[in-house]
Amino acid sequence: MTEDTGEDWPGWRAAAQQALYGPHGFYRRPEGPAGHFRTSVHASPLFAEAVARLLCHVDEALGRPGRLDFVDMAAGRGELITAVLAALPADVAARARGYAVELADRPPGLDHRIEWLARPPHGITGLLFANEWLDNVPVEVAEADAAGVPRLVLVRRDGTERLGEPVEGADAEWLARWWPLPAEEGSRAEIGRPRDEAWAAAVATLRRGLAVAVDYAHTADERPLFGTLTGFREGRETAPVPDGSCDITAHVALDACAHAGVNPSARAGAEAGTTAHALTPARLLVQRDALRALGITGARPPLALATTQPAAYVRALASAGEAAELTAPGGLGDFGWLLQPVGIPDAPLEGPLRELLVDVPDHEEH
């Protein structure tokens, strides 16, 4: 920390917003996110195949509507949406409409059938999928001072920090409910209220379907003592410096997002018994469990295949390795999945969608 010298000292939310999404921000750079960090999308085509499978299950739960929407939030350069649409069966692909939501310019050569938007369309019937979006929604950072009072952390463009005013108002209420700071000097928290609001707004664009957020995450029983704010540059973790040279990210309080994302009118209608369908609650899973439900297991192929069909064995072995990376404890497998259904009835849910949306007893799972 440093003393105030009269220079510009914004909070982390404003500083990160400019550094990531301003005219010369990190996400405007030509190499895109894939030039700096590896996501599940880049790790293996199996991830997009699993998302395509999820879209097909949503399609079935919705009664195979005439138009099936797929919305890719924070679409990067369109890698996920391109692969998902390509993986769909022909009868589903014929009804599918793809929307890539991204602030950067549309990449050249992207399939002309994909609409490139700055915000999601309204009236979605289908699947809204947000892979590593919420961790890049900028938030304020709070730190406890010597008296244990949570104060806003202010930051210069070079990453130098100092403490500002005490946290007040809606941000203080969010902290008290979702991430109460211990009265220990230096303890920190990221105030996730803007992410709650962003997620609620995204869920509100669905008329019927499923919204899914996949991200680095934590819940109330495991908040980190010193926060999670960090940077990434060229594949390596680095200090978060809000000058546009690196990604600035922080893990997501997905439990708070889940609460905010329940559609208020749907909740009120369900309580009054006026909705056509029962209100299916949001569900939190880790990625290895979600992908397992969607058929990604990481199981090695039988050795006998190496003798009878060696080429197939090599392909299956490579696929198993990719699946293992996507589901690995301590790595991508620990990512949180928040599933928020809208207009999907509690019953009859069958197969993988039931396993994803309902807390199925272990002996019933496949």
Side-chain angles (χ1 to χ4, degrees), residues 37-48 80 129 131-132 214 287 291 322 325-327 331-333 335 337:
F37 51 87
R38 180 178 173 86
T39 72
S40 298
V41 176
H42 309 119
S44 170
L46 294 175
F47 187 79
L80 177 62
F129 201 85
N131 185 60
E132 296 194 46
V214 180
Q287 174 154 298
L291 292 183
E322 294 175 2
E325 181 181 1
L326 290 173
T327 57
L332 296 175
F335 269 51
W337 278 49

Side-chain angles (χ1 to χ4, degrees), residues 82-148:
T82 299
V84 167
L85 294 180
L88 293 175
D91 62 318
V92 179
R95 294 179 288 111
R97 301 292 182 270
Y99 304 92
V101 181
E102 179 59 67
L103 293 178
D105 293 338
R106 181 187 182 98
L110 187 71
D111 190 323
H112 71 277
R113 295 172 299 173
I114 299 172
E115 290 196 43
W116 194 262
L117 306 170
R119 57 184 59 85
H122 278 266
I124 296 165
T125 298
L127 175 63
L128 180 144
F129 201 85
N131 185 60
E132 296 194 46
W133 167 50
L134 290 173
D135 68 302
N136 287 127
V137 173
V139 293
E140 299 289 7
V141 177
E143 180 175 320
D145 65 13

Side-chain angles (χ1 to χ4, degrees), residues 4-10 156 162:
D4 187 359
T5 60
E7 298 185 43
D8 186 30
W9 289 92
R156 289 194 310 202
R162 74 173 179 87

Side-chain angles (χ1 to χ4, degrees), residues 44-55 80 83-84 87 294 296 319:
S44 170
L46 294 175
F47 187 79
E49 291 170 15
V51 176
R53 207 168 292 133
L54 177 59
L55 179 58
L80 177 62
V84 167
L294 293 168
I296 307 298
S319 179

Side-chain angles (χ1 to χ4, degrees), residues 284-308:
L284 289 173
L285 299 172
V286 292
Q287 174 154 298
R288 59 182 164 273
D289 291 338
L291 292 183
R292 179 184 54 77
L294 293 168
I296 307 298
T297 65
R300 292 172 63 90
L303 282 174
L305 190 64
T307 302
T308 59

Side-chain angles (χ1 to χ4, degrees), residues 25-233:
F26 176 81
Y27 279 100
R28 305 279 189 179
R29 295 170 63 157
E31 70 271 20
H36 295 270
F37 51 87
R38 180 178 173 86
T39 72
S40 298
V41 176
H42 309 119
S44 170
L46 294 175
F47 187 79
E49 291 170 15
V51 176
R53 207 168 292 133
L54 177 59
L55 179 58
C56 290
H57 292 311
V58 171
D59 181 42
E60 290 293 335
L62 296 177
R64 298 174 57 83
R67 189 194 75 189
L68 180 68
D69 299 319
F70 177 67
V71 179
D72 182 9
M73 298 292 297
R77 298 301 179 265
E79 300 95 333
L80 177 62
I81 190 169
T82 299
V84 167
L85 294 180
L88 293 175
D91 62 318
V92 179
R95 294 179 288 111
R97 301 292 182 270
Y99 304 92
V101 181
E102 179 59 67
L103 293 178
D105 293 338
R106 181 187 182 98
L110 187 71
D111 190 323
H112 71 277
R113 295 172 299 173
I114 299 172
E115 290 196 43
W116 194 262
L117 306 170
R119 57 184 59 85
H122 278 266
I124 296 165
T125 298
L127 175 63
L128 180 144
F129 201 85
N131 185 60
E132 296 194 46
W133 167 50
L134 290 173
D135 68 302
N136 287 127
V137 173
V139 293
E140 299 289 7
V141 177
E143 180 175 320
D145 65 13
V149 176
R151 293 179 175 272
L152 291 176
V153 177
L154 310 182
V155 60
R156 289 194 310 202
R157 182 176 166 82
D158 65 1
T160 305
E161 295 179 334
R162 74 173 179 87
L163 295 185
E165 295 298 315
V167 180
E168 297 179 338
D171 282 347
E173 293 173 4
W174 190 94
L175 272 183
R177 176 166 188 177
W178 294 107
W179 197 337
L181 276 178
E184 177 180 336
E185 184 177 7
S187 60
R188 291 170 69 129
E190 292 96 33
I191 304 174
R193 187 172 60 85
R195 293 168 173 178
D196 295 356
E197 294 171 351
W199 181 244
V203 173
T205 64
L206 268 75
R207 185 173 70 87
R208 288 196 308 144
L210 180 66
V212 179
V214 180
D215 237 311
Y216 298 99
H218 47 66
T219 53
D221 57 350
E222 55 177 17
R223 304 286 190 225
L225 182 59
F226 299 108
T228 62
L229 187 73
T230 192
F232 282 94
R233 182 189 297 114

